[in-house]
Amino acid sequence: QLLIAAARRIEGVLRAGDMVARVGGDEFAVLVRGVDTEHQAVAVANRLLAALEAPFHVGDRAVLTPASIGLAMATEGCTVEDLLANADVAMYRAKSSGRSCYDVFRPAMHQAVVDRMELEAELRRALAQEEFVVHYQPIVDLRQGTTAGVEALVRWQHPTRGLLSPGEFIGLAEETGLIGPLGRWVLREACGQVAAWQRNGVAPGLRVSVNLSSRQLQEADMEVEVAGVLRATRLDPADLILEITESLMVDDSDQIMSRLRGLCALGVRLAIDDFGTGYSSLAYVSRLPVQVLKIDRSFVQAMGRSVEAAAVVRAILSLASSLGFGAVAEGIEEPEQLAELARLGCPFGQGYHFSRPLPAAALEQFLAEEPEPAPLPALGTLRVVRSESLGARGSPGPPLAG
Ligand code: C2E
Ligand code: CA
Ligand code: CA
């Protein structure tokens, strides 16, 4: 009924010689003849948007269906297929820039779509050929001044473009579903590496944090996968921390919750990444099966300049402490930031001040040069907020509330 009503409205703004067709799903194609300028075509698009703006009444319900329109002008030598494909590209652009709007096809847009398709094909190839590497960034026990764990951060060793950072491909991997196999590879690689470091004496008690994307958490066999990796690599579950972003946690579906609980039941720990940037309520956080909060680096970096940021850091630390969670401050770059965090009793920290993420061999070197564990003199008198809760071996962590 909705499609029929929409088609009627579309017909209503067209002229006799124009043509409208439904090309599939909720997509319509409109062929407007005798239009020579883009300006005239845009006028038609605006009339169409206006016509589709008012709610539709389907049965006893009012339905709003804002439209996105892509415009393409036929040029010399342009085939029907080209024209439709160009309009499609412009429509996707319109859609991604918001609802109820139009966009006009430009050849450069075509290039952007082709680039994306190429990157996707390359990403597939890269997975098959194992062009990815994992770098490890130390997570430092601020009281002892020693490395307690590492965060695994993936990079793409691209054959022509060099080492690409995750910002350049994780988004696409998520959109295309390739994050599934990529994430599994990272998990296996990182757990295997850290288990090896534990066994060969490089770092006996080292823990490893691995990032999980929301897409991965939607996979039905996530727990099975993680259990399999732990078994295959012989890593103690208590030494694995899975980092999940706050936005995902806010998606309070039973399915996600039961999956998080399932992961906890394996004995692995969960951390909320980039904490403070999302919108989760404090009450909500206390109900999550989570053991660690990672304070987003934006707060750490603004701490010295803004009393508000410093207050947020203090509040997160006290929240973590009273819930029995561990806390890791991210993005520590300056000694002053470290000193202030230590003063506030932050148990763990991570950032360029200690080390950038390093390839495995360089991380081994970093660990080898590390001084013997000893309380940092400057921090000797500090109140320490449950530094054991990043995951002391054998301790089951705080009981799951709720
Ligand atoms: P993240 O999980 O918040 O990781 C921390 C990022 O901050 C890393 O960027 C790290 O290099 C950077 N960083 C660490 N210390 C400092 C500092 O002192 N100053 C500054 N300015 N930056 C610092 P990277 O490696 O580029 O990773 C970016 C994001 O990509 C990560 O953010 C994470 O969300 C995602 N990512 C990385 N590896 C994986 C992965 O294997 N799977 C998934 N799903 N996401 C990943
Ligand atoms: Ca992370
Ligand atoms: Ca983070």
Side-chain angles (χ1 to χ4, degrees):
Q1 283 176 44
L2 181 61
L3 287 168
I4 292 167
R8 295 260 177 278
R9 288 199 198 168
I10 294 170
E11 275 179 333
V13 298
L14 299 178
R15 287 171 311 195
D18 299 338
M19 206 198 280
V20 56
R22 179 171 156 245
V23 291
D26 58 353
E27 290 185 11
F28 291 90
V30 172
L31 180 67
V32 184
R33 294 171 211 242
V35 161
D36 334 295
T37 66
E38 197 176 289
H39 185 72
Q40 290 170 286
V42 165
V44 177
N46 276 324
R47 285 210 304 276
L48 284 166
L49 288 176
L52 296 168
E53 220 161 52
F56 289 91
H57 296 280
V58 179
D60 55 358
R61 303 206 329 184
V63 187
L64 273 174
T65 62
S68 306
I69 299 181
L71 292 173
M73 305 287 285
T75 47
E76 207 41 53
C78 174
T79 66
V80 173
E81 286 76 21
D82 291 342
L83 193 57
L84 280 171
N86 292 350
D88 230 21
V89 167
M91 186 193 70
Y92 278 109
R93 267 280 297 247
K95 211 179 231 172
S96 62
S97 64
R99 318 226 57 192
S100 237
C101 63
Y102 68 84
D103 213 329
V104 182
F105 175 77
R106 304 269 177 263
M109 285 181 194
H110 182 67
Q111 196 51 47
V113 171
V114 169
D115 286 351
R116 221 189 92 104
M117 282 166 60
E118 270 172 15
L119 190 64
E120 184 182 339
E122 282 192 66
L123 208 54
R124 276 180 209 284
R125 195 216 55 224
L127 266 171
Q129 301 181 353
E130 300 214 355
E131 283 174 11
F132 296 97
V133 281
V134 177
H135 283 190
Y136 299 89
Q137 187 176 35
I139 297 176
V140 176
D141 178 327
L142 298 186
R143 192 175 47 129
Q144 306 275 334
T146 51
T147 301
V150 288
E151 177 171 3
L153 295 157
V154 69
R155 272 95 184 91
W156 179 1
Q157 186 63 65
H158 192 280
T160 56
R161 293 167 62 196
L163 196 65
L164 302 182
S165 67
E168 296 177 79
F169 60 89
I170 287 285
L172 183 64
E174 285 177 342
E175 284 168 41
T176 53
L178 290 171
I179 192 71
L182 177 59
R184 280 196 285 278
W185 180 83
V186 172
L187 183 69
R188 199 167 285 267
E189 177 71 20
C191 290
Q193 177 64 76
V194 169
W197 279 332
Q198 292 180 347
R199 277 196 293 271
N200 64 20
V202 168
L206 199 70
R207 303 199 177 88
V208 59
S209 297
V210 178
N211 293 284
L212 279 195
S213 92
S214 53
R215 184 85 187 240
Q216 281 174 277
L217 213 65
Q218 280 154 15
E219 287 175 14
D221 57 353
M222 191 64 220
E223 296 104 290
V224 181
E225 176 66 32
V226 172
V229 168
L230 289 168
R231 216 175 313 112
T233 60
R234 290 185 285 141
L235 185 76
D236 184 338
D239 290 338
L240 175 61
I241 296 160
L242 297 173
E243 298 193 0
I244 297 160
T245 56
E246 197 179 352
S247 56
L248 179 82
M249 302 277 190
V250 175
D251 172 9
D252 189 7
S253 70
D254 290 348
Q255 204 182 27
I256 297 279
M257 282 304 239
S258 79
R259 202 145 294 155
L260 293 178
R261 294 223 168 78
L263 287 169
C264 278
L266 296 175
V268 307
R269 279 149 215 275
L270 299 179
I272 306 189
D273 207 351
D274 308 337
F275 189 73
T277 57
Y279 298 97
S280 48
S281 75
L282 299 186
Y284 181 64
V285 168
S286 68
R287 293 206 317 271
L288 289 170
V290 158
Q291 293 83 16
V292 180
L293 301 181
K294 294 196 79 175
I295 305 172
D296 191 67
R297 75 161 180 263
S298 57
F299 301 114
V300 172
Q301 296 185 345
M303 220 169 41
R305 287 175 272 114
S306 119
V307 278
E308 290 84 1
V312 171
V313 171
R314 262 199 311 278
I316 296 175
L317 286 171
S318 110
L319 175 73
S321 155
S322 48
L323 291 174
F325 293 176
V328 182
E330 295 191 280
I332 303 176
E333 292 181 357
E334 310 292 339
E336 297 77 39
Q337 293 164 347
L338 170 61
E340 180 61 10
L341 286 160
R343 201 181 63 76
L344 295 174
C346 180
F348 295 94
Q350 181 182 354
Y352 297 167
H353 173 74
F354 303 109
S355 169
R356 293 188 173 251
L358 299 170
L363 197 270
E364 280 181 31
Q365 188 65 34
F366 177 90
L367 292 172
E369 287 164 7
E370 187 156 79
E372 285 299 302
L376 291 178
L379 313 182
T381 57
L382 293 173
R383 180 174 56 92
V384 172
V385 186
R386 292 187 63 109
S387 67
E388 76 276 15
S389 41
L390 185 65
R393 210 177 279 273
S395 93
L400 306 185

